[in-house]
Amino acid sequence: MRRTKVLVAMVLTSSLVLIFFYSSLNLQVVHTQRAFTVSVPVIRQNVSSTTRAKQQNMTSSKPQSNVVPITISANFRKAVPQSSAYWNRRQNFLLKQLDARVNITDDERLGWSHCSAASVERLQTNIQDFNSYPALYRDFLLGMECRDPPILIDQPDKCTSEGREGQTYLLFAIKSVPRNFERRQAIRETWGQERVYEGGLRVRTVFLLGTSSTEDPDLGQLLSFEAQHFGDLLQWDFRESFYNLTLKDNAFLHWAMKHCSSAMFIFKGDDDVFTNTQAVLTYLLSLEPEKAKKLYVGHIVSQASPFRDAKNKYYVPQTFYEGAYPPYAGGGGFLFSGSLLQPLFRLSQFIPFFPIDDVYTGMCFQALGITPEAHKGFQTFDIREQDRENACAHRDLILVHQRSPQQTLRLWRGMHSHLLTC
Ligand SMILES: *[C@@H]1O[C@H](CO)[C@@H](O)[C@H](O)[C@H]1NC(C)=O
Ligand SMILES: *[C@@H]1O[C@H](CO)[C@@H](O)[C@H](O)[C@H]1NC(C)=O
């Protein structure tokens, strides 16, 4: 009797969930199955599977968590100073829109077809010293409202190819560029290998690419071959550049929300880091279910502020952004929960793009109300020089930056050698 009631309640909430989805932001929801999954008890012997089942139940038994309206945390609102800087003004405008519950239709939503909205003239009118911005910065501003770039190489079945049994526990999403084949191959042969680890933990990998500049040789055919052969490339139609990394991040969020939302955890990182996959899995399995749902962990940069020197790679003009940065996880590599993909993406529609991708990610998490957690296993600034080729020194680490493809192979083989005694 109680069972039937529970079932009826579930069906009802599920229907509500669906109705809400289709009437709200027009977001495509592919993985509604999470909302419908009646949790089946998983009987397995080892500890890792039970932990995993507990972590999974946390996400599958609460369909409501998928439909919370977009709310932006008070912390974030407080952190955005009222200022005449361009980004601040855009942010305050979007917050007002959100608060007024203005419906953003698909047509009005920031999208690729609206890129022309940011004309040079408009920017010159709004930013008095726009013409003295570095050329790449002006390019960034011209593309700042452009989202959802067309996808050129897709892997829509990446996470669903093997049904329920194939559920992704950890998805590696690695920022790469077309010419970095050697780095991708080293990752495929080592820490990014797609396989099932002990306890049935399935690891999958995608590489995130834009297009190379027209000054570079055309690698298109080679990429198509690589994508077909390995099935792990995602490429969007935008030019690779440092200031376009936020766009890449956002395109990935959208893709993962549509095609890999059942992944328990996402690792976002660069193609020149070395990751100790087993240490990552051990750490993830140790998490309490509550924590596993709201994870954002890495090497945390806190109390940082914009660099105002135009020659610095991370230069941010005063007339573009005012204020400090929220605490954020260094973009070399960090982990977050798959259940946050959708909230993050929806909320990002109300946060203007920022030219530094990991700062932007920090902003989105702050707006979501999640504080990043520091973990000393993430060594984005590398370890002592004398330990860099030492497999033992890497055993308890999660990530080090940076390693060449050759060093990556040597380290991986060393760490997995039966002859290794530490
Ligand atoms: C927004 O959309 C909903 C449902 O489509 C509608 O009921 C509501 O009146 C709209 N609000 C505004 C401010 O247009
Ligand atoms: C980002 O990509 C778009 C689309 O290819 C391009 O127009 C823009 O100039 C790029 N931005 C930067 C900063 O390179």
Side-chain angles (χ1 to χ4, degrees), residues 167-185:
Q167 195 196 19
T168 310
Y169 187 73
L170 173 64
L171 176 70
F172 280 118
I174 310 302
K175 291 176 275 181
S176 189
V177 296
R179 67 167 164 276
N180 285 358
F181 173 77
E182 212 185 26
R183 290 192 191 170
R184 290 193 289 278
Q185 193 55 25

Side-chain angles (χ1 to χ4, degrees), residues 23 100-103:
S23 62
R101 303 189 180 278
V102 173
N103 289 335

Side-chain angles (χ1 to χ4, degrees), residues 109-152:
R109 211 141 60 87
L110 309 170
W112 209 243
S113 51
H114 287 262
C115 294
S116 52
S119 66
V120 174
E121 205 187 334
R122 178 188 293 236
L123 289 166
Q124 282 168 339
T125 311
N126 283 291
I127 306 173
Q128 59 279 31
D129 58 346
F130 179 71
N131 289 336
S132 64
Y133 278 17
L136 268 178
Y137 228 92
R138 292 201 299 265
D139 282 349
F140 165 76
L141 271 144
L142 279 164
M144 196 175 145
E145 313 292 335
C146 301
R147 300 192 178 207
D148 277 332
I151 194 157
L152 300 173

Side-chain angles (χ1 to χ4, degrees), residues 180-309:
N180 285 358
F181 173 77
E182 212 185 26
R183 290 192 191 170
R184 290 193 289 278
Q185 193 55 25
I187 292 171
R188 285 183 189 111
E189 289 178 18
T190 57
W191 54 268
Q193 205 186 107
E194 300 199 292
R195 52 172 275 209
V196 179
Y197 278 78
E198 201 189 330
L201 307 179
R202 186 177 291 272
V203 172
R204 288 188 161 111
T205 301
V206 284
F207 295 98
L208 317 177
L209 308 172
T211 57
S212 31
S213 115
T214 44
E215 282 149 41
D216 290 331
D218 180 7
L219 301 179
Q221 291 202 4
L222 220 52
L223 278 188
S224 314
F225 175 77
E226 187 185 346
Q228 258 174 28
H229 191 78
F230 296 105
D232 57 8
L233 297 190
L234 295 176
Q235 188 187 32
W236 289 273
D237 193 8
F238 64 82
R239 200 178 71 201
E240 286 286 359
S241 92
F242 176 68
Y243 294 137
N244 262 343
L245 283 177
T246 300
L247 175 63
K248 184 181 276 192
D249 246 28
N250 205 252
F252 165 70
L253 269 187
H254 198 189
W255 178 89
M257 188 187 99
K258 283 199 287 190
H259 301 298
C260 205
S261 65
S262 56
M264 289 296 295
F265 300 101
I266 316 286
F267 175 101
K268 224 12 246 317
D270 289 334
D271 65 1
D272 60 350
V273 299
F274 177 87
T275 309
N276 182 349
T277 310
Q278 188 55 63
V280 173
L281 295 174
T282 306
Y283 166 71
L284 291 175
L285 276 174
S286 75
L287 297 174
E288 287 301 319
E290 267 308 313
K291 178 107 166 269
K293 247 177 29 177
K294 294 195 166 170
L295 191 71
Y296 175 36
V297 65
H299 172 101
I300 306 308
V301 182
S302 28
Q303 291 174 341
S305 287
F307 283 93
R308 301 302 191 186
D309 170 7

